[in-house]
Amino acid sequence: MRRAFIILALILTGCIFIPTAASASSAEEGKQIDVQHIIFEHMLDSYSWHITRVGEKDIIIHLPVILYSKTSGWHIFSSKRLEENGGSYQGFYPAPADGPHAYKLMEKMSDGSMVRPIDLSLTKMSLALLINGAILLLLFLPAARWYKKHRGDKEAVPSKYVSFVEMLVTMVEDGIIKPCVGENYRKFSPYLLTAFFFIFTCNLMSLLPVFPGGVGVTANLSITLFLALCTFIAVNVFGSREYWKEIIWPDVPTWLKAPIPIMPFIEFIGIFTKPIALMIRLFANMLGGHMAMLVLTVLIFIGFSVSTTIGSSMTVLSVLFNIFMYALELLVAYIQAYVFTLLSAVFIGSAQISHHGKAEKK
């Protein structure tokens, strides 16, 4: 454990010292540091993936930009063209940072108005999503193949890796899914297991300071929205008759249901507030942790812009606090995956009222 913390400290020190040296040289040259650009470049999506900087050369993965305009049709080009032309290319311009579509490409019409085209580009966030999904498949497919190959063979002994994967799956299924969903848990186990390990993998990859990590996939509202939407479908599409009966005509005094449907209206609103809470909770917790670490790192830039002495002292403090925050974020990465899966299982279990009723009678 002590060695792990030492290695972690060295990694963080290196990751912070490199941009610190760049900021120090910028401060000496009298260049003003754009703190807002540093933070939003890391947190927001983009059409290219900046990996690192070696000397004066930036190492960037230029991703394909795929746009469809109602007036000019399809446009497919490399994001390098945007860099070469100051952010604009073929009549497309980046949206202002304070607008609803910050840094996304907008089409300039003949009357001067800006319209957003259909954007199917492979962005940094979508590439990180594909990488995390591929990592998840590489981790679990070998174990799945082993169990498929040795199905029914009681004498087969799994390897240590397969046993480790089985332990993780059993932990989630026995500790979260079975108690919360009930006897119908097998129907929802594939989704809940996938959600847990996908969120956990994305959270861990976002903490990796080198490529292909460092992208906060679960700190993106559209990703958490889709996950919450999957839980919403699992709850309401597969909900029992008793579940919908409790929403439309709940077991409360009649004056609360008719002539003014007070309780049915509240229950109906609750259908949407549950997935919204799931979406916001995961998004806010992951975004808050990354923002805190970025702010601590940016303090070094600010310190060096004032003087070398202040910058050096801020470097030491920032590294120490970032080590603490990094260890805390490792814990949060697991907790947020656990909480999302737990609440999803609770919501799904509450929609299986008839199954719980049968179990209680037995």
Side-chain angles (χ1 to χ4, degrees):
M1 182 64 70
R2 185 181 299 176
R3 292 181 180 178
F5 276 109
I6 293 174
I7 293 172
L8 177 63
L10 291 174
I11 292 174
L12 283 172
T13 303
C15 293
I16 294 175
F17 180 75
I18 292 173
T20 300
S23 66
S25 60
S26 299
E28 291 174 358
E29 295 173 3
K31 297 179 180 179
Q32 193 173 13
I33 297 167
D34 190 352
V35 175
Q36 183 179 358
H37 175 73
I38 294 172
I39 294 178
F40 282 101
E41 182 184 19
H42 180 81
M43 298 304 303
L44 296 180
D45 201 2
S46 64
Y47 294 100
S48 60
W49 193 331
H50 185 277
I51 299 177
T52 187
R53 186 174 187 179
V54 179
E56 296 297 326
K57 185 179 180 181
D58 291 318
I59 299 177
I60 302 173
I61 297 178
H62 296 285
L63 301 172
V65 179
I66 306 172
L67 304 171
Y68 177 75
S69 170
K70 293 182 179 179
T71 57
S72 57
W74 289 97
H75 296 262
I76 303 175
F77 53 89
S78 172
S79 59
K80 189 175 183 180
R81 300 287 179 253
L82 297 173
E83 182 183 341
E84 294 172 348
N85 294 275
S88 61
Y89 187 69
Q90 293 184 356
F92 297 96
Y93 298 86
D98 56 350
H101 308 293
Y103 302 109
K104 294 294 183 180
L105 289 177
M106 306 286 286
E107 183 181 11
K108 191 172 184 179
M109 309 305 290
S110 57
D111 58 356
S113 62
M114 302 295 287
V115 178
R116 189 181 181 188
I118 298 176
D119 196 341
L120 303 177
S121 305
L122 181 65
T123 61
K124 179 178 70 172
M125 196 68 65
S126 57
L127 179 58
L129 191 64
L130 294 174
I131 292 173
N132 295 345
I135 291 173
L136 199 61
L137 291 176
L138 291 174
L139 290 175
F140 284 90
L141 281 182
R145 288 198 198 99
W146 188 92
Y147 279 104
K148 185 177 180 180
K149 183 178 179 181
H150 298 87
R151 182 180 298 173
D153 187 1
K154 297 181 179 180
E155 296 182 357
V157 179
S159 63
K160 292 182 179 179
Y161 177 75
V162 174
S163 299
F164 177 72
V165 173
E166 181 185 2
M167 180 195 70
L168 293 177
V169 173
T170 304
M171 175 194 69
V172 177
E173 191 167 64
D174 292 346
I176 302 175
I177 301 174
K178 283 184 182 180
C180 297
V181 177
E183 63 181 13
N184 201 23
Y185 74 94
R186 290 184 181 275
K187 185 177 181 180
F188 303 98
S189 283
Y191 163 65
L192 293 172
L193 286 169
T194 302
F196 175 85
F197 289 109
F198 172 76
I199 295 172
F200 188 42
T201 302
C202 291
N203 291 348
L204 291 179
M205 288 297 293
S206 67
L207 297 175
L208 190 66
V210 294
F211 181 83
V215 179
V217 173
T218 49
N220 186 289
L221 195 59
S222 59
I223 304 298
T224 59
L225 171 62
F226 180 78
L227 291 170
L229 182 62
C230 292
T231 299
F232 175 81
I233 294 172
V235 171
N236 296 284
V237 173
F238 300 100
S240 64
R241 291 181 180 179
E242 288 79 2
Y243 166 73
W244 284 106
K245 181 181 177 182
E246 287 295 324
I247 293 175
I248 298 173
W249 196 257
D251 188 15
V252 295
T254 307
W255 64 273
L256 290 173
K257 297 179 287 187
I260 301 175
I262 299 175
M263 287 305 298
F265 177 75
I266 294 174
E267 293 289 342
F268 183 76
I269 295 297
I271 294 175
F272 300 97
T273 55
K274 291 175 182 177
I276 290 174
L278 283 177
M279 174 186 70
I280 298 298
R281 178 181 284 106
L282 178 60
F283 163 74
N285 280 280
M286 298 311 301
L287 179 66
H290 287 290
M291 289 294 289
M293 296 178 69
L294 280 171
V295 169
L296 288 171
T297 305
V298 167
L299 289 176
I300 303 175
F301 292 76
I302 298 173
F304 271 103
S305 65
V306 177
S307 68
T308 305
T309 304
I310 295 177
S312 301
S313 60
M314 291 303 299
T315 300
V316 176
L317 292 174
S318 180
V319 168
L320 292 176
F321 278 109
N322 262 308
I323 291 173
F324 170 76
M325 287 297 301
Y326 200 92
L328 184 62
E329 282 297 296
L330 288 174
L331 181 62
V332 171
Y334 172 78
I335 291 175
Q336 290 307 312
Y338 181 90
V339 169
F340 186 94
T341 309
L342 176 67
L343 293 178
S344 296
V346 169
F347 297 155
I348 292 172
S350 65
Q352 307 296 308
I353 297 176
S354 61
H355 297 287
H356 288 294
K358 291 179 181 179
E360 288 174 2
K361 289 180 181 179
K362 291 180 181 179

